[in-house]
Amino acid sequence: MSRYLSPLLLVLLISACSSEDPCDEAPRCDESEALNCEVACTVGPCSTGAIFQQCDQGTTCTVVPGDRSDSRFYRSRAVCARSLNVCDPATAPAPTCEDGRFVVGCGAHRRDIRAFCSQAALYFKKVPTCCLNGGGDGGVADGGTDGGTTDGGSTDGGTADAGNSDAGPRNPDAGR
């Protein structure tokens, strides 16, 4: 009996130590938590890696399709939607900041959403200035309002972060 127990324990130990990469299953909703994964950011502010966001404050997690014809917003995303109805970002009011850490409004994925300021450029064509000017989450202080493209054509969110693709230091709101 003990000769079967040792290999069984070894298998259990190995399987318990294997690390699962949450990015393999992104985008997804786990009850009220949205999971997205960024391997690189070409427009700041945004952070790389697995990004978990708790959908609270009256929001609902839903996965929305990307626009395959848009080079910036082509990816599907798990979003914290304030409404599941489709909206038009061209005619909707400009997105606004909430609590200094979040941005709310009609995003490029055609939903009224609530997202981290540090991820605003992944969801909105025009990032609110409060997110860009150090909104407490690694925003870039280049004065632009479109996620970094008004600073002379730079696509990395400006130069305040020395060109780092993640637009600055990691922040407590950019994941768990």
Side-chain angles (χ1 to χ4, degrees):
M1 176 94 149
S2 66
R3 72 179 182 165
Y4 296 112
L5 189 57
S6 294
L8 180 60
L9 287 174
L10 181 61
V11 169
L12 289 174
L13 181 62
I14 290 172
S15 65
C17 293
S18 65
S19 63
E20 244 182 70
D21 184 3
C23 289
D24 291 342
E25 299 177 21
R28 77 167 190 244
C29 291
D30 285 333
E31 297 176 17
S32 62
E33 183 176 64
L35 166 65
N36 289 290
C37 193
E38 294 305 315
V39 294
C41 299
T42 58
V43 177
C46 64
S47 302
T48 57
I51 310 299
F52 295 89
Q53 181 179 352
Q54 190 66 35
C55 293
D56 54 10
Q57 304 292 320
T59 62
T60 303
C61 186
T62 187
V63 176
V64 293
D67 180 353
R68 298 287 179 213
S69 66
D70 191 310
S71 63
R72 183 168 160 197
F73 300 107
Y74 67 93
R75 294 181 66 192
S76 295
R77 300 270 179 205
V79 299
C80 292
R82 298 190 314 165
S83 169
L84 296 177
N85 297 327
V86 173
C87 62
D88 182 1
T91 60
T96 59
C97 287
E98 177 183 271
D99 300 332
R101 289 183 52 203
F102 294 94
V103 60
V104 295
C106 183
H109 293 86
R110 306 180 67 79
R111 297 297 185 282
D112 185 9
I113 65 168
R114 181 175 191 253
F116 293 126
C117 261
S118 61
Q119 301 299 116
L122 300 174
Y123 300 97
F124 298 96
K125 290 187 182 199
K126 292 230 174 233
V127 176
T129 304
C130 52
C131 288
L132 294 171
N133 292 330
D137 65 354
V140 179
D142 69 347
T145 59
D146 66 340
T149 58
T150 61
D151 63 86
S154 172
T155 58
D156 71 348
T159 56
D161 65 353
N164 292 334
S165 60
D166 69 350
R170 279 192 81 84
N171 297 299
D173 70 350
R176 293 192 260 178

